[in-house]
Structure formats: C-alpha cells, structure tokens
Amino acid sequence: MPLLFEASCAEFSECSLLGTVFPRAASYVTPTASQALQNTHKERATNGMSIVILSRGRCGLSGCITYYLMSMAVADLLVVLTNVIVNRILSVYFPASFLSVTPVCAVKTVVLYVTKDCSVWLTVAFTFDRYVAICCPNVRNKYCTRGRAALVIGLVCAVCLLRNIPWYFAFDPLYVINNVPWYCMFKSNFYTSAPWIAFALSNLVGTPFLPLGLVLLFNALTIKYVLLSSRIRRGLRGQKSSGDESDSEIQNRKQSVVLLLAISANLIILWLTFVAHYIFGRSTGIYTYSKSDPIFYFRETGYLLLLLSCSTNTLIYAAVQSKFREEIKYLIMYPFRRAAELIKSHQHY
C-alpha cells in the first residue's frame, strides 16, 4: 500500500524525494541515502565556509551581491540539513522516531519544500539583480542596494513559506497506535479535489519549471546586452585610442556575467535529470520501478543531483573569484598560524 500511494503522489510532485511521507523499507532508498550520507559532511563544510568567507566582506564584491550570495549559501545549508540529514538519513536509519509522528511529519514536509524553494528562487532573485545591474542603468542605483537586496530576500523567503503551508493540511495519519498518529498519507480527496490538484500542479510550475525559465530568460537578455554594449564600447574606444589599454568596465561586466552564468548553469544542469524524469513519468504514466530497472537509478540520480546543486556554489565562487580563493586559503591556514603563534609565545615565557 505505501508504494501505491507514493506512485500516485509522484504524478503531482517529487514526493519520492520526501522519503518520510510514507514508511518503506530502508533498502528501497539505500542508493541515494548512502550517497547522501557520504556527501553530507562535505556539503555542510562547503556551505559553512561560504557563509563565513562572505560574511567577512573581503571578496571584493558589492554589498548587494554579498547579501544574495550569503542568503543562497544559508538556504543551501538548510537544504542539506533538512532534505539530506533529517529526511534522507534519519528517516532511513531511524524509521520509527518522533519524526514519523503525523504532525511532525507534516511540518517536516513543509520545511523540506520551503528550503528547496528558497534555494531555487534566491538564485532567480540574484539572476534578476544582475540583469538589472548590467542591463538597466537607469534603475541600477535604486534597485541594486543592500536594503533592496535584504527586502527581496525577505519577500522571497516569506512567499516560499506561505505557498507551502497547505502541505501541512494535505495529510492524514497512515496508522493510529495508542492514540498516536504515525506517518503521513495524502487525504482521500487529494487526487480528486480540484483545489488540491491545482495546488499540486502550481507547486510543480513554481519549482522548478518557472524558475528555470526565468533564469534562462534573464541570462539570455544579459548576454545579449553585454555583447552589444561591448561591441559599441570597442568601436568608440577604437576611434579615440589605439585600443591597446584594457577597458575596466568591460572586464567588470565579464566577471559579473561569468559568475552569473556559472551559478545559473549549475542550477539548470543539476535539475535537468529530475525534470527529464518527471516529463518521462507524466508521458508514460509509470511511476514505480524495480531496483533492477535503469529508470530507478535514473530517478535516484536526479534526486541526488538536485540535492548536490546546493553544495556546489562554493566551488563556483572559488573558480571565478580570485579573492574568494585567497579567503579560503586564509581560513584553512588560520588554525595553523594561531597554533604557531601560541607555540612561539609559550617559548618566550
């Protein structure tokens, strides 16, 4: 029965990703859970390092960009804590814990969706901010500020929370033992009630189809503007000088575009497998697979890449920003320098 419920659930959303919605054997989710367990410490370390480095404000980035990157790092860290540790790992190795009590399970489902949505939509907000900064000089100074960035981040998180609250009311207990409700099962009218069907479909459109479309749109407009403006600036500079000296404005735009495209491409590429599996499921009507079926591993790989997308931004910052790499070296070497200073001061005494 649990697998049948999960199959119906998958038609509307990525409920297989929510491993504790239905009780199931640990062996059924072992491939992704074991891989998640291996990567969890690395993901927490990379996101934590990003937060510390960005909070120091020594990466040569504007306050606006720093706010967005810090919020994305915090959101990614929350995704790792909730979707990987609480949902994937604890649910597999501790299947009958208090996390499986129906009210807690329902709250956990809301948190899972909220953190995932925040991670995706903050990337969209950052992409739009860079589009305004590069392509809309008339409103750049008004929009691309720390205060406006903080406001946008707060609004994004608030909207993500409000739009996912209905998930709490979508479940009934699967079992009631000693007057204690256990596990989460969708209400009997979840698949027939028009409001619930509309909510489930809007949830899919809201994440990931609409965000991916917006990211592609803003990136295309930004690249078009940068290429056109660079061509015009080169033409004007060619009339005034020999053109040997570098154009700092063009270089700054190129660096911003590289960082923007790297983060956006990371989001799109690592979500593609999940989206492809969803389209496959909707077109074929098949949602359950045996462990020997290649589609099973294709689906689990999609979930793994989806969660992995929340731990790769640090690598992108390091690859694109030289000052960020210097801060990483400083952070890594700091304990050794402090230890050496303590040893030297102890020797003097």
Side-chain angles (χ1 to χ4, degrees), residues 90-260:
L90 295 182
S91 298
V92 170
Y93 295 102
F94 305 96
S97 67
F98 76 98
L99 295 173
S100 299
V101 177
T102 301
V104 179
C105 174
V107 171
K108 183 180 63 175
T109 301
V110 174
V111 174
L112 295 178
Y113 275 102
V114 170
T115 54
K116 179 172 61 66
D117 285 1
C118 285
S119 177
V120 174
W121 279 100
L122 285 173
T123 303
V124 177
F126 173 71
T127 304
F128 179 73
D129 177 84
R130 292 300 87 200
Y131 163 74
V132 173
I134 295 174
C135 305
C136 306
N138 294 332
V139 297
R140 177 193 308 163
N141 294 333
K142 294 182 179 179
Y143 184 83
C144 301
T145 62
R146 292 186 179 184
R148 188 58 58 88
L151 177 62
V152 171
I153 293 169
L155 288 176
V156 168
C157 295
V159 171
C160 290
L161 173 61
L162 292 175
R163 71 183 292 265
N164 286 296
I165 286 179
W167 283 116
Y168 181 83
F169 304 98
F171 302 107
D172 284 330
L174 185 61
Y175 307 111
V176 178
I177 304 174
N178 296 328
N179 294 324
V180 178
W182 287 92
Y183 300 105
C184 289
M185 179 181 67
F186 281 115
K187 293 180 179 294
S188 58
N189 66 340
F190 185 84
Y191 307 107
T192 57
S193 173
W196 281 121
I197 293 175
F199 168 73
L201 292 178
S202 66
N203 186 74
L204 273 175
V205 173
T207 306
F209 292 104
L210 181 58
L212 295 183
L214 290 175
V215 167
L216 289 173
L217 174 63
F218 292 139
N219 282 341
L221 294 175
T222 302
I223 293 174
K224 179 181 178 181
Y225 180 87
V226 169
L227 292 177
L228 180 61
S229 61
S230 298
R231 190 179 306 135
I232 294 175
R233 288 181 67 88
R234 288 195 187 99
L236 294 175
R237 287 175 59 83
Q239 297 175 2
K240 297 180 180 180
S241 63
S242 61
D244 294 334
E245 64 272 16
S246 61
D247 190 334
S248 60
E249 179 67 19
I250 292 180
Q251 295 300 322
N252 291 335
R253 287 181 179 178
K254 285 183 178 179
Q255 290 181 359
S256 297
V257 169
V258 169
L259 178 61
L260 171 65

